[in-house]
Coordinates of all heavy atoms in Angstrom, one line a residue:
E173 N 18.6 -2.7 -11.1 CA 17.6 -3.2 -11.9 C 16.2 -3.1 -11.1 O 16.2 -2.8 -9.9 CB 17.8 -4.6 -12.4 CG 18.3 -5.5 -11.3 CD 17.2 -6.1 -10.4 OE1 16.1 -6.1 -10.9 OE2 17.5 -6.4 -9.3
L174 N 15.1 -3.2 -11.9 CA 13.8 -2.9 -11.3 C 13.1 -4.1 -10.6 O 12.3 -3.9 -9.8 CB 12.9 -2.4 -12.4 CG 13.2 -1.0 -13.0 CD1 12.3 -0.7 -14.2 CD2 13.2 0.1 -12.0
F175 N 13.5 -5.3 -11.0 CA 12.8 -6.4 -10.5 C 12.9 -6.6 -9.0 O 12.0 -6.9 -8.3 CB 13.2 -7.7 -11.2 CG 12.7 -7.8 -12.6 CD1 13.5 -7.5 -13.7 CD2 11.4 -8.1 -12.9 CE1 13.1 -7.6 -15.0 CE2 10.9 -8.2 -14.2 CZ 11.8 -7.9 -15.2
S176 N 14.1 -6.4 -8.5 CA 14.3 -6.5 -7.0 C 13.6 -5.4 -6.3 O 13.1 -5.6 -5.2 CB 15.8 -6.6 -6.7 OG 16.5 -5.4 -7.1
I177 N 13.6 -4.2 -6.8 CA 12.9 -3.1 -6.2 C 11.4 -3.5 -6.2 O 10.7 -3.3 -5.1 CB 13.1 -1.8 -7.0 CG1 14.5 -1.4 -6.9 CG2 12.1 -0.7 -6.4 CD1 14.8 -0.1 -7.7
H178 N 10.8 -4.0 -7.3 CA 9.4 -4.3 -7.3 C 9.1 -5.4 -6.3 O 8.1 -5.3 -5.6 CB 9.1 -4.8 -8.7 CG 7.6 -5.3 -8.9 ND1 7.3 -6.6 -8.8 CD2 6.5 -4.6 -9.0 CE1 6.0 -6.7 -8.9 NE2 5.5 -5.5 -9.1
E179 N 10.0 -6.4 -6.2 CA 9.7 -7.5 -5.3 C 9.6 -7.0 -3.8 O 8.7 -7.4 -3.1 CB 10.8 -8.6 -5.4 CG 10.6 -9.8 -4.6 CD 11.7 -10.8 -4.7 OE1 12.6 -10.6 -5.5 OE2 11.6 -11.9 -4.0
R180 N 10.5 -6.2 -3.4 CA 10.5 -5.7 -2.1 C 9.4 -4.7 -1.8 O 8.7 -4.8 -0.8 CB 11.9 -5.0 -1.7 CG 13.1 -6.0 -1.8 CD 14.2 -5.5 -0.9 NE 14.6 -4.2 -1.2 CZ 15.5 -3.8 -2.1 NH1 16.1 -4.7 -2.9 NH2 15.9 -2.5 -2.2
F181 N 9.1 -3.8 -2.8 CA 8.0 -2.9 -2.6 C 6.7 -3.7 -2.5 O 5.9 -3.4 -1.6 CB 7.9 -2.0 -3.8 CG 6.6 -1.2 -3.9 CD1 6.3 -0.2 -3.0 CD2 5.7 -1.6 -4.9 CE1 5.1 0.5 -3.1 CE2 4.4 -0.9 -4.9 CZ 4.2 0.1 -4.1
A182 N 6.5 -4.7 -3.3 CA 5.2 -5.5 -3.3 C 5.1 -6.2 -2.0 O 4.0 -6.2 -1.4 CB 5.2 -6.5 -4.4
E183 N 6.2 -6.6 -1.4 CA 6.1 -7.3 -0.1 C 5.7 -6.3 1.0 O 4.8 -6.6 1.8 CB 7.4 -8.0 0.2 CG 7.4 -8.7 1.6 CD 8.7 -9.4 1.9 OE1 9.6 -9.4 1.0 OE2 8.9 -9.9 3.0
Y184 N 6.4 -5.2 1.0 CA 6.1 -4.2 2.1 C 4.6 -3.7 1.9 O 3.9 -3.6 2.9 CB 7.0 -3.0 2.0 CG 8.5 -3.3 2.1 CD1 9.4 -2.5 1.5 CD2 9.0 -4.4 2.8 CE1 10.8 -2.7 1.5 CE2 10.3 -4.7 2.9 CZ 11.2 -3.8 2.2 OH 12.6 -4.1 2.3
Y185 N 4.3 -3.3 0.7 CA 3.0 -2.7 0.4 C 1.9 -3.7 0.9 O 0.9 -3.3 1.5 CB 2.8 -2.4 -1.0 CG 1.4 -1.9 -1.4 CD1 1.1 -0.6 -1.2 CD2 0.5 -2.8 -1.9 CE1 -0.2 -0.1 -1.5 CE2 -0.8 -2.3 -2.2 CZ -1.1 -1.0 -2.0 OH -2.4 -0.5 -2.3
S186 N 2.0 -5.0 0.5 CA 1.0 -6.0 0.8 C 0.8 -6.1 2.3 O -0.3 -6.2 2.8 CB 1.3 -7.3 0.1 OG 1.4 -7.2 -1.3
F187 N 1.9 -6.2 3.0 CA 1.9 -6.3 4.4 C 1.2 -5.1 5.1 O 0.3 -5.3 5.9 CB 3.3 -6.5 5.0 CG 3.3 -6.6 6.5 CD1 3.1 -7.8 7.1 CD2 3.5 -5.5 7.3 CE1 3.1 -8.0 8.5 CE2 3.5 -5.6 8.7 CZ 3.3 -6.8 9.3
V188 N 1.5 -3.9 4.7 CA 1.0 -2.7 5.3 C -0.5 -2.6 4.9 O -1.3 -2.2 5.8 CB 1.8 -1.5 4.8 CG1 1.1 -0.2 5.3 CG2 3.2 -1.5 5.4
K189 N -0.9 -2.8 3.7 CA -2.2 -2.7 3.2 C -3.1 -3.7 4.0 O -4.2 -3.3 4.5 CB -2.4 -2.9 1.7 CG -3.8 -2.7 1.2 CD -3.8 -2.7 -0.4 CE -5.1 -2.4 -0.9 NZ -6.0 -3.6 -0.9
E190 N -2.7 -4.9 4.1 CA -3.5 -5.9 4.8 C -3.6 -5.5 6.3 O -4.7 -5.7 6.9 CB -2.8 -7.3 4.7 CG -2.9 -7.9 3.3 CD -2.1 -9.1 3.1 OE1 -1.5 -9.6 4.1 OE2 -1.9 -9.6 1.9
S191 N -2.6 -4.9 6.8 CA -2.6 -4.5 8.2 C -3.6 -3.4 8.4 O -4.4 -3.4 9.4 CB -1.2 -4.1 8.7 OG -0.3 -5.2 8.6
F192 N -3.7 -2.4 7.5 CA -4.6 -1.3 7.6 C -6.0 -1.9 7.4 O -7.0 -1.4 8.1 CB -4.3 -0.3 6.5 CG -3.4 0.8 7.0 CD1 -2.1 0.9 6.5 CD2 -3.8 1.7 8.0 CE1 -1.2 1.9 7.0 CE2 -2.9 2.7 8.5 CZ -1.7 2.8 7.9
E193 N -6.2 -2.8 6.5 CA -7.6 -3.3 6.3 C -8.2 -4.0 7.5 O -9.4 -4.2 7.6 CB -7.6 -4.2 5.0 CG -7.4 -3.3 3.8 CD -7.3 -4.1 2.5 OE1 -7.1 -5.3 2.5 OE2 -7.4 -3.5 1.4
E194 N -7.4 -4.5 8.4 CA -7.9 -5.1 9.6 C -8.6 -4.0 10.5 O -9.3 -4.3 11.4 CB -6.7 -5.7 10.4 CG -6.1 -6.9 9.8 CD -4.9 -7.4 10.5 OE1 -4.5 -6.8 11.5 OE2 -4.3 -8.4 10.0
H195 N -8.3 -2.7 10.2 CA -8.9 -1.6 10.9 C -9.9 -0.8 10.0 O -10.1 0.4 10.3 CB -7.8 -0.7 11.5 CG -6.9 -1.4 12.4 ND1 -7.1 -1.5 13.8 CD2 -5.7 -2.1 12.2 CE1 -6.1 -2.2 14.3 NE2 -5.3 -2.6 13.4
N196 N -10.3 -1.4 8.9 CA -11.2 -0.7 7.9 C -10.5 0.5 7.4 O -11.2 1.5 7.0 CB -12.6 -0.4 8.5 CG -13.6 -0.4 7.4 OD1 -13.5 -1.2 6.5 ND2 -14.6 0.4 7.6
H197 N -9.2 0.5 7.3 CA -8.5 1.5 6.5 C -7.9 0.8 5.3 O -7.9 -0.4 5.2 CB -7.3 2.1 7.3 CG -7.7 3.0 8.4 ND1 -8.7 2.7 9.4 CD2 -7.3 4.3 8.7 CE1 -8.8 3.7 10.2 NE2 -8.0 4.7 9.8
T198 N -7.4 1.5 4.3 CA -6.8 0.9 3.2 C -5.8 1.9 2.6 O -5.7 3.1 3.0 CB -7.8 0.5 2.1 OG1 -7.2 -0.4 1.2 CG2 -8.4 1.6 1.4
L199 N -5.1 1.4 1.5 CA -4.2 2.3 0.8 C -4.7 2.3 -0.7 O -5.3 1.3 -1.1 CB -2.7 1.7 0.8 CG -2.1 1.5 2.2 CD1 -0.7 0.9 2.0 CD2 -2.1 2.7 3.0
T200 N -4.4 3.3 -1.4 CA -4.8 3.4 -2.8 C -3.8 4.2 -3.7 O -3.1 5.1 -3.1 CB -6.2 4.0 -3.0 OG1 -6.6 3.7 -4.3 CG2 -6.2 5.5 -2.7
G201 N -3.7 3.9 -4.9 CA -2.8 4.5 -5.8 C -3.4 5.7 -6.5 O -3.7 5.7 -7.7
M202 N -3.5 6.8 -5.8 CA -4.1 8.0 -6.4 C -3.2 9.2 -5.9 O -2.7 9.2 -4.8 CB -5.6 8.2 -5.9 CG -6.5 7.1 -6.3 SD -8.1 7.1 -5.6 CE -8.9 8.4 -6.6
G203 N -3.1 10.2 -6.8 CA -2.2 11.3 -6.5 C -2.8 12.3 -5.6 O -2.0 13.1 -5.0
I204 N -4.1 12.3 -5.4 CA -4.7 13.2 -4.4 C -5.7 12.3 -3.7 O -6.5 11.6 -4.2 CB -5.5 14.4 -5.1 CG1 -4.4 15.4 -5.6 CG2 -6.4 15.1 -4.1 CD1 -5.1 16.6 -6.3
N205 N -5.6 12.4 -2.3 CA -6.5 11.6 -1.5 C -7.9 12.0 -1.7 O -8.3 13.1 -1.4 CB -6.0 11.8 0.0 CG -6.7 10.8 0.9 OD1 -7.8 10.4 0.8 ND2 -5.9 10.4 2.0
P206 N -8.8 11.0 -2.2 CA -10.2 11.3 -2.4 C -11.0 11.5 -1.1 O -12.1 12.1 -1.2 CB -10.7 10.1 -3.2 CG -9.8 9.0 -2.7 CD -8.4 9.6 -2.5
Y207 N -10.4 11.1 0.0 CA -11.1 11.3 1.3 C -10.4 12.4 2.1 O -10.6 12.4 3.3 CB -11.0 10.0 2.1 CG -12.1 9.0 1.8 CD1 -12.9 9.1 0.6 CD2 -12.4 7.9 2.6 CE1 -13.9 8.1 0.3 CE2 -13.4 7.0 2.4 CZ -14.1 7.1 1.2 OH -15.1 6.2 1.0
R208 N -9.7 13.3 1.5 CA -9.0 14.3 2.2 C -9.9 15.2 3.1 O -9.4 15.6 4.2 CB -8.2 15.2 1.2 CG -9.1 16.1 0.4 CD -8.4 16.7 -0.8 NE -9.4 17.4 -1.6 CZ -10.2 16.9 -2.5 NH1 -10.2 15.6 -2.7 NH2 -11.1 17.6 -3.2
K209 N -11.1 15.4 2.7 CA -12.0 16.2 3.5 C -12.4 15.6 4.9 O -12.8 16.3 5.8 CB -13.3 16.5 2.7 CG -14.2 15.3 2.5 CD -15.5 15.7 1.8 CE -16.4 14.6 1.6 NZ -17.7 14.9 0.8

């Protein structure tokens, strides 16, 4: 089922995103990286 997958994904994602933001990096939900250049 999807709920347990969502719960674990949300936990991992939140931890990683917050960690990156401590270094002025971030994560985003886009299919092509807008900062690729």
